[in-house]
Amino acid sequence: MRSALILTLIAFAAPAAAEPAITQTVEDSFDNVAFALESAIVGRGLVVDHLSRVGEMLERTKEDVGSTVTVFTQADVFSFCSAAVSRQVMEVDPANIQYCPYGIFLYETPDAPGTVTVGYRDYPEGEMQAVEDMLAEIVAEALG
């Protein structure tokens, strides 16, 4: 019992690892890739619920948090949902609501201008593969 408690405490004390993501890079302008990504999402009849301008926020607030580092030249996250795919995965397990809305991110860093990384989270095995497949298709279409 004592060793199980110690292992539990160690697990909670350990720093969390970043969640895995599936990414691809493309040589193009950020604006071109962002437009292609939004077009691929909307072209499937999906609605972008939110466009999170993460790069702008980090740049705008870096001095406020005591930093001088520019992380991204540009970085956005498109959030959206699919009624069909969401119903499919949530009918199997209602707890899959935790993954909705789905997001696709893209960013360019100061160290690699003209190289845009596009990605999405790597979902758990099983029914969430349907979401991952949808995201992979959207990214593939956007990156041509």
Side-chain angles (χ1 to χ4, degrees):
M1 176 68 175
R2 182 176 165 89
S3 61
L5 176 61
I6 291 170
L7 288 175
T8 301
L9 291 173
I10 290 171
F12 284 112
E19 290 189 30
I22 297 169
T23 62
Q24 295 180 44
T25 58
V26 62
E27 301 294 322
D28 203 342
S29 75
F30 183 89
D31 290 339
N32 283 348
V33 177
F35 179 79
L37 185 56
E38 183 175 17
S39 296
I41 294 167
V42 173
R44 292 176 171 277
L46 305 173
V47 175
V48 175
D49 294 321
H50 185 72
L51 176 61
S52 184
R53 304 246 184 227
V54 177
E56 289 178 12
M57 179 273 301
L58 288 176
E59 190 62 21
R60 183 180 66 249
T61 61
K62 73 179 176 185
E63 290 178 12
D64 297 335
V65 298
S67 180
T68 59
V69 176
T70 296
V71 180
F72 304 109
T73 52
Q74 295 187 77
D76 291 341
V77 180
F78 287 89
S79 298
F80 57 93
C81 217
S82 163
V85 175
S86 294
R87 175 165 292 284
Q88 178 184 340
V89 302
M90 290 177 210
E91 283 182 357
V92 173
D93 184 353
N96 286 331
I97 191 173
Q98 67 184 301
Y99 301 111
C100 195
Y102 313 117
I104 299 177
F105 60 85
L106 68 157
Y107 64 84
E108 178 184 63
T109 64
D111 296 339
T115 300
V116 180
T117 300
V118 179
Y120 48 91
R121 100 188 289 170
D122 186 9
Y123 289 91
E125 298 288 326
E127 67 273 7
M128 291 305 293
Q129 188 62 49
V131 173
E132 200 167 303
D133 291 346
M134 174 186 66
L135 298 176
E137 291 168 6
I138 290 169
V139 169
E141 180 181 329
L143 299 184

